């Protein structure tokens, strides 16, 4: 009876995590899928699959869901800020290099600024990380940041014309009109300190080792301004990324061809971005496939990579939860 009761409780907890909390945005999902798959197809057709992957990578960050109720003007502002963040990240890595001495302060600073600029969020920090570990993939770049800028503009061209359902005009009050609160500043400090420290810890030998960036990514995407938000985000990431990471690892072991990668990335990307507004857990399930295929498509991946990634996701989630207790905790009321 005790085992059955615990199994039922675990099942109920998983069901609660997967319960829809909003409405899917199918048009945005289709646009994101095209933005991701298009450069891969063109790159494969032209014989430059690596270049296609470099152009497709920015779409992962630029196509993130927009604030609820955002009309075309607010979407344009979000896309512009994200484009600047991703392009600057590309320029930074091209000029400063991808060693840990350059990445650690860059990721920390981008995380701090992004936490105080909601339109940016973790976009720039994640861009530094992704560009830093993938580099230029062996192809020459005429101008630093050019592949990132092209990818951002391509994605913007697909997403900007779309309006979310039931939105006919820009909702008032969408601009961030007051200064950062104490909670926001504490959150920015935690995020900068943890992400910078994790980058150093996983790259002490000079560059981020193997799967080490998954720890940094987990911290950037899990840590929220409140303890409750962090715990919920951590649970959904652990559930989704554990299952999605295993599927992605199996696909990588099969060594799919360039066109197969484009198709899988497009489909998984469309699903991830369409259903992310409904529940973050859906994104956590689908995103590992597109992220891993984009970042790892040109190198062999050992079978144990999935285990290492799951472990680093677990560690990142745990550190994010504990950060609210250890790093500048909120004052508790006496009553």
């Amino acid at each position: 009876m005790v085992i059955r009761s615990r199994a039922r409780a675990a099942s109920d907890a998983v069901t609660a995590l997967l319960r829809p909390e909003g409405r899917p945005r199918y048009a945005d999902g289709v646009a994101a899928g095209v933005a991701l798959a298009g450069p891969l197809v063109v790159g494969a057709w032209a014989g430059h699959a690596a270049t296609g992957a470099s152009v497709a990578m920015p779409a992962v960050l630029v196509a993130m869901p927009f604030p609820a109720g955002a009309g075309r003007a607010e979407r344009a502002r979000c896309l512009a800020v994200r484009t600047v963040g991703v392009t600057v990240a590309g320029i930074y890595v091209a000029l400063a290099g991808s060693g840990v001495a350059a990445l650690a302060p860059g990721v920390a600073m981008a995380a701090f600024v992004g936490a105080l600029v909601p339109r940016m969020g973790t976009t720039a920090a994640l861009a530094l990380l992704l560009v830093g570990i993938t580099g230029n993939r062996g192809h020459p770049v005429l101008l630093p940041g050019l592949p990132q800028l092209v990818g951002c503009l391509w994605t913007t061209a697909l997403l900007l014309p779309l309006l979310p359902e039931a939105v006919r005009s820009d909702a008032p009050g969408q601009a961030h009109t007051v200064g950062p609160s104490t909670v926001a500043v504490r959150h920015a400090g935690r995020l900068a300190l943890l992400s910078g420290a994790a980058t150093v810890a996983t790259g002490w030998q000079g560059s981020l080792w193997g799967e080490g960036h998954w720890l940094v990514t987990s911290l950037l995407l899990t840590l929220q301004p409140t303890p409750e938000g962090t715990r919920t985000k951590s649970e959904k990431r652990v559930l989704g990324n554990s299952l999605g990471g295993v599927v992605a690892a199996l696909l990588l072991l099969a060594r799919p061809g360039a066109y197969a990668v484009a198709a899988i990335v497009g489909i998984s990307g469309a699903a991830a971005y369409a259903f992310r507004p409904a529940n973050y857990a859906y994104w956590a399930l689908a995103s590992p496939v597109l992220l891993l295929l984009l970042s790892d498509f040109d190198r062999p991946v050992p079978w144990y990579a999935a285990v290492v990634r799951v472990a680093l996701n677990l560690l990142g989630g745990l550190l994010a939860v504990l950060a609210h207790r250890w790093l500048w905790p909120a004052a508790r009321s006496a009553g």
Side-chain angles (χ1 to χ4, degrees):
M1 288 294 294
V2 175
I3 296 177
R4 184 179 301 173
S5 176
R6 290 180 178 176
R8 185 181 299 113
S11 177
D12 292 342
V14 171
T15 301
L17 288 176
L18 296 175
R19 185 175 297 117
E21 301 168 351
R23 299 181 62 184
R25 295 181 180 176
Y26 297 110
D28 283 352
V30 172
V34 173
L36 287 160
L40 296 179
V41 172
V42 173
W45 173 78
H48 297 283
T51 303
S54 293
V55 174
M57 185 67 78
V60 175
L61 303 173
V62 176
M64 289 295 183
F66 300 96
R72 186 168 307 198
E74 177 61 16
R75 289 167 69 98
R77 287 188 284 267
C78 289
L79 288 167
V81 170
R82 294 171 185 177
T83 295
V84 170
V86 174
T87 304
V88 169
I91 295 173
Y92 179 90
V93 173
L95 298 180
S98 57
V100 68
L103 281 186
V107 168
M109 181 58 69
F112 184 87
V113 173
L116 301 178
V117 182
R119 289 192 183 108
M120 178 68 72
T122 57
T123 297
L126 289 170
L128 277 168
L129 199 61
L130 291 174
V131 177
I133 63 175
T134 58
N136 293 324
R137 298 184 184 273
H139 62 83
V141 177
L142 298 178
L143 293 173
L146 182 60
Q148 290 74 38
L149 178 60
V150 172
C152 290
L153 294 178
W154 156 248
T155 307
T156 297
L158 292 171
L159 286 172
L160 187 58
L162 303 176
L163 279 174
E165 296 178 9
V167 174
R168 295 292 179 267
S169 61
D170 292 310
Q174 290 294 328
H176 310 292
T177 57
V178 296
S181 66
T182 303
V183 172
V185 173
R186 281 202 302 263
H187 170 60
R190 289 190 201 101
L191 199 61
L193 179 59
L194 285 176
S195 60
T199 304
V200 172
T202 58
W204 60 268
Q205 80 285 12
S207 60
L208 289 185
W209 59 269
E211 312 299 330
H213 62 279
W214 282 89
L215 176 60
V216 189
T217 301
S218 180
L219 288 168
L220 286 170
L221 295 178
T222 302
L223 190 61
Q224 301 296 302
T226 65
E228 297 78 13
T230 299
R231 283 194 297 268
T232 300
K233 198 77 173 287
S234 178
E235 291 169 353
K236 291 181 177 181
R237 276 188 60 80
V238 169
L239 173 64
N241 281 190
S242 297
L243 298 176
V246 171
V247 173
L250 293 175
L251 287 172
L252 285 168
L253 288 174
R255 303 299 297 167
Y259 290 109
V261 168
I264 296 171
V265 166
I267 293 171
S268 61
Y273 288 98
F275 289 98
R276 191 181 191 278
N279 190 321
Y280 180 80
Y282 304 156
W283 161 266
L285 281 166
S287 61
V289 175
L290 71 95
L291 287 172
L292 289 175
L293 287 178
L294 279 176
S295 62
D296 295 344
F297 84 99
D298 57 351
R299 65 185 181 92
V301 178
W303 64 269
Y304 55 81
V307 178
V308 175
R309 288 162 178 168
V310 170
L312 290 174
N313 267 309
L314 287 169
L315 178 58
L318 177 62
L319 292 176
V321 171
L322 293 177
H324 282 281
R325 179 177 300 178
W326 293 343
L327 297 176
W328 310 295
R332 297 179 180 273
S333 60

